[in-house]
Every structure is written in structure tokens, then in C-alpha cells.
């Protein structure tokens, strides 16, 4: 194992754990009982300010971490393929 493979493996583990934690922190997108009573998401504070909430931040962070995970995985596969 060369140092690039070790660093890539560590980055994959860190990205995986962070993705799991961030996804667990996000709230559910299901309407729940609010849908029965006719409550709309756009009628509350979080509907109007949706781009600035912590859930929006977590969603953006999840996308960024997923891209990082994907890129590191591709690079690792290329490194392993061309080094050996």
C-alpha cells in the first residue's frame, strides 16, 4: 500500500462518517399531520426562509460531501489501477 492509497482511504472513511452524521441531523421531509389540517410549508417561517435554515445548510453540505466521496473514490480507483 502506498501513501496515496492510505490517505485516500482515510478521506473516504471521514467523508462516509460525515455523510451519515449530516443525514441523521436533517429533519424529515414528510408533511405528517400538517398535511391533513391543510397547513402549507410556505405558510410558516421555514417555508419563507427555506434557503437560510439549518436544514438547507445540511442539505447543501450533504451534496458537497457526496461529491467529495465520489471524486475521491474515482481518484483512488485510478491510482490503484495505474500504480499496480
Amino acid at each position: 500500500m502506498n501513501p496515496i492509497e492510505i490517505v485516500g482511504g482515510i478521506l473516504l472513511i471521514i467523508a462516509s462518517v460525515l455523510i451519515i452524521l449530516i443525514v441523521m441531523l436533517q429533519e424529515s421531509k414528510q408533511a405528517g399531520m400538517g398535511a391533513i389540517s391543510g397547513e402549507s410549508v410556505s405558510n410558516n417561517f421555514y417555508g419563507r426562509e427555506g434557503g437560510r435554515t439549518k436544514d438547507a445548510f445540511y442539505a447543501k453540505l450533504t451534496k458537497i460531501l457526496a461529491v467529495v466521496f465520489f471524486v475521491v473514490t474515482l481518484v483512488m480507483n485510478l491510482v490503484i489501477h495505474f500504480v499496480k
Side-chain angles (χ1 to χ4, degrees), residues 57-69:
F57 173 74
Y58 290 151
K60 196 178 298 184
L61 188 59
T62 303
K63 291 173 188 173
I64 291 170
L65 287 171
V67 169
V68 168
F69 183 83

Side-chain angles (χ1 to χ4, degrees), residues 4-18 68-69 72 76:
I4 296 174
E5 291 176 2
I6 294 171
V7 170
I10 291 170
L11 287 175
L12 285 174
I13 291 171
I14 291 170
S16 301
V17 170
L18 287 176
V68 168
F69 183 83
V72 170
M76 289 302 300

Side-chain angles (χ1 to χ4, degrees), residues 41-77:
V41 175
S42 62
N43 289 338
N44 62 23
F45 175 75
Y46 294 113
R48 291 190 306 266
E49 304 292 328
R52 292 181 252 175
T53 63
K54 65 179 180 180
D55 290 331
F57 173 74
Y58 290 151
K60 196 178 298 184
L61 188 59
T62 303
K63 291 173 188 173
I64 291 170
L65 287 171
V67 169
V68 168
F69 183 83
F70 181 72
V71 169
V72 170
T73 302
L74 285 177
V75 169
M76 289 302 300
N77 281 323

